[in-house]
Amino acid sequence: ISPVFYSITQWKERELKAIDIKEAKKQRAKSKVKGFSRMGLSLRLCIASVIVLTQLVHGALCWGKDGHYTVCKIAEGYFEEETVAAVKKLLPESAKGELASVCSWPDEIKIFSEWDWTSALHYVNTPDYRCNYEYCRDCHDSHKHKNVCVTGAIFNYTKQLMTASENLQTLVHYNLTEALMFLSHYMGDIHQPLHTGFPGDLGGNTIILNWYHNQTNLHRVWDNMIIDSALKTYYNSSLPLMIQALQAKLTNGWSNKVPSWESCKHKQTACPNQYASESIKLACKYAYRNATPGTTLLDEYFLSRLPVLEKRLAQGGIRLAATLNRIFSEKPKLTRA
Ligand SMILES: [Zn+2]
C-alpha cells in the first residue's frame, strides 16, 4: 500500500521555506548546518547535558558517525554523473563537496527543541515480538500520528527532491539541502536492524548488557560497538580501510547481488518498506537472539553478527545511490522538453 501523505500541510511548516532550486546555492550559506557549526559555546555545553538524557530515549542513537559515514561514502562511489552534480549543488558549504561528511547531521540537530519533531523519523517500531513490518500498522509516532517514522520520512524526502528535480523552472517550497541530508541519513538508519525494533525495549535501548568488558545496551551494540570492535580487530582502527574492504566486496563477492539490491518493485523511486521488512527479520534472527538483559556478548556474537552488519552498511550505500540516481538522473525531463 503506498502511503499518501505527500501533502505539504502534513509536514512541519518550518520545512516550507520557499527555495527555488536555482537559489539553492545562495540558500546554502544560510543553511542549518552552517548555523549549527557557528553555534555558541553555551549551546554546546547544553548539548553535553542533553546528550546524557537522550541516551535513554529510543532512537537517540543511530548508526554512529562511522556507520553513517560508511553508508554515504559507499553511495558516493555509485553516483551517476547527473547525481554528482545535483548533490554538489545542494550540499552545504561545510560539506566541502562530500556528502558523507554531513550524513550524521540529523543526529546532531534532533536534540534541539526546534528539531524535536524529527526524533521519531529515525526508526519504526513493529508490535512487540512481531518479526514483520507493515507500513499502515507501524509507521506512526508515539502519538499515533501517521507517516511519522523512518519509512515515511524516506518517502517524504524522496518526494520533495523528486518534485524539485522534475520542476526546475518552478518555485519549490522545500529546503532541498535539508531534504538531501535527511534522506541520506534515514537511508542509513533503516538498514540498522534495530531501527526497526520493538517498542517494549525501545529498539534494544533498554536491553542493558555487556559488550566484552563494557556495559552498554543492545541498540548501541548495533549502532557503534560492533563497528568499533571490527575497526580495532581488522582495520588498524582505520575507517577508510574498512570502507575500502566493503567497496572491494561490492566489486567481488557481492557484485552479482548489487542489481537486486538497487532495484525497487513497481518502478518506485524509493522502496523503504522492503528495507524495514528486512531489518525486522534481521533484528529477530540476529540482533535480539541470545542478547537478553544481563548477557555478556563475546566473540561468538561479534563474529556471527559482523557479516550481517557489513552487508547492511553496503546495502544502505548501494540503495542510497540508486535512489538518488533515480531522483536526479532518471527523470523523464518532460518539463524541459
Ligand atoms: Zn538516525
Side-chain angles (χ1 to χ4, degrees), residues 6-226:
Y6 297 143
S7 84
I8 294 167
T9 50
Q10 286 184 320
W11 287 78
K12 299 284 169 179
E13 276 196 338
R14 63 172 60 90
E15 282 196 313
L16 310 180
K17 295 163 191 162
I19 293 183
D20 189 310
I21 192 164
K22 287 179 181 170
E23 290 285 297
K25 207 173 171 184
K26 239 194 259 170
Q27 291 294 330
R28 260 187 343 208
K30 299 178 204 158
S31 79
K32 296 282 177 192
V33 168
K34 203 152 185 185
F36 184 79
S37 64
R38 280 209 220 110
M39 218 164 36
L41 180 64
S42 59
L43 205 46
R44 283 170 196 274
L45 287 173
C46 166
I47 301 172
S49 59
V50 173
I51 281 171
V52 177
L53 292 172
T54 52
Q55 303 271 337
L56 303 168
V57 180
H58 180 26
L61 301 161
C62 305
W63 278 132
K65 259 186 178 291
D66 288 349
H68 281 292
Y69 187 88
T70 302
V71 166
C72 287
K73 205 70 212 168
I74 288 170
E76 283 176 24
Y78 287 80
F79 286 171
E80 282 160 27
E81 213 174 295
E82 282 173 287
T83 308
V84 172
V87 167
K88 260 208 174 122
K89 209 171 154 190
L90 290 175
L91 280 177
E93 229 137 277
S94 62
K96 299 197 169 76
E98 187 192 28
L99 177 65
S101 71
V102 291
C103 282
S104 289
W105 173 76
D107 279 341
E108 289 159 6
I109 55 154
K110 72 185 174 190
I111 55 173
F112 300 108
S113 57
E114 181 193 355
W115 294 99
D116 200 37
W117 61 276
T118 62
S119 298
L121 303 180
H122 293 255
Y123 60 91
V124 60
N125 289 322
T126 67
D128 284 336
Y129 312 115
R130 282 286 183 92
C131 297
N132 73 335
Y133 154 90
E134 287 171 25
Y135 187 88
C136 292
R137 182 192 66 193
D138 301 333
C139 190
H140 54 76
D141 66 5
S142 55
H143 306 289
K144 297 274 172 194
H145 294 129
K146 288 218 163 284
N147 310 310
V148 183
C149 83
V150 68
T151 40
I154 290 171
F155 280 123
N156 180 56
Y157 291 113
T158 300
K159 186 73 185 174
Q160 288 190 8
L161 291 167
M162 200 72 185
T163 307
S165 184
E166 284 171 351
N167 301 287
L168 288 179
Q169 309 304 325
T170 44
L171 193 71
V172 174
H173 297 266
Y174 303 116
N175 182 328
L176 301 175
T177 298
E178 289 176 10
L180 173 68
M181 295 191 293
F182 278 129
L183 177 61
S184 303
H185 180 88
Y186 297 138
M187 282 292 278
D189 278 347
I190 201 171
H191 282 84
Q192 204 275 51
L194 285 174
H195 277 250
T196 311
F198 302 141
D201 54 50
L202 307 181
N205 273 295
T206 62
I207 300 179
I208 308 299
L209 36 64
N210 297 302
W211 178 252
Y212 295 90
H213 300 297
N214 298 311
Q215 194 184 67
T216 184
N217 68 58
L218 185 61
H219 192 91
R220 277 197 74 130
V221 166
W222 282 81
D223 271 349
N224 298 296
M225 311 300 251
I226 299 176

